[in-house]
Amino acid sequence: MAKSNFRPLHDRVVVRRVESEAKTAGGIIIPDTAKEKPQEGEIIAIGSGARDEAGKLVPLDVKAGDRILFGKWSGTEVKLNGEDLLIMKESDIMGIIG
């Protein structure tokens, strides 16, 4: 992705979806119309973190480059620099892969 001037705020992250396989393990090709949007992605930008009750900045547990799993309806789809991306809160992330 080209360098963007966009930086998410607070506890939000920008995620690029990772494309799912077009074939099943048994070799059956899945047509585009039957594919679900992948729930796996790579974080490309993170915010500075959220503030706790005392006003102290709490950094995020994820970082740019992490591969993550997120909920089916998580995030807001946006187009930045011609690329389809998701912006979501860190709490929408279910876990880090590998």
Side-chain angles (χ1 to χ4, degrees):
M1 180 175 131
K3 182 70 177 154
S4 173
N5 292 331
F6 183 81
R7 181 177 57 90
L9 297 176
H10 310 297
D11 62 341
R12 288 180 178 82
V13 298
V14 179
V15 177
R16 176 187 300 125
R17 287 187 194 269
V18 175
E19 291 304 317
S20 57
E21 291 294 320
K23 231 188 256 190
T24 66
I28 298 171
I29 296 174
I30 303 168
D32 287 341
T33 55
K35 283 187 198 174
E36 288 192 18
K37 289 187 177 179
Q39 294 169 252
E40 184 179 328
E42 178 185 358
I43 295 178
I44 58 173
I46 64 169
S48 57
R51 299 226 177 244
D52 64 12
E53 294 82 28
K56 182 179 170 226
L57 188 66
V58 179
L60 302 180
D61 288 330
V62 295
K63 63 186 179 315
D66 283 350
R67 286 181 67 109
I68 59 163
L69 289 177
F70 50 87
K72 190 173 196 171
W73 308 109
S74 296
T76 301
E77 293 182 352
V78 296
K79 190 176 276 271
L80 292 173
N81 297 330
E83 184 175 15
D84 291 324
L85 302 169
L86 286 169
I87 298 175
M88 67 181 70
K89 286 186 160 265
E90 183 184 35
S91 59
D92 290 338
I93 298 171
M94 292 188 270
I96 300 171
I97 301 170

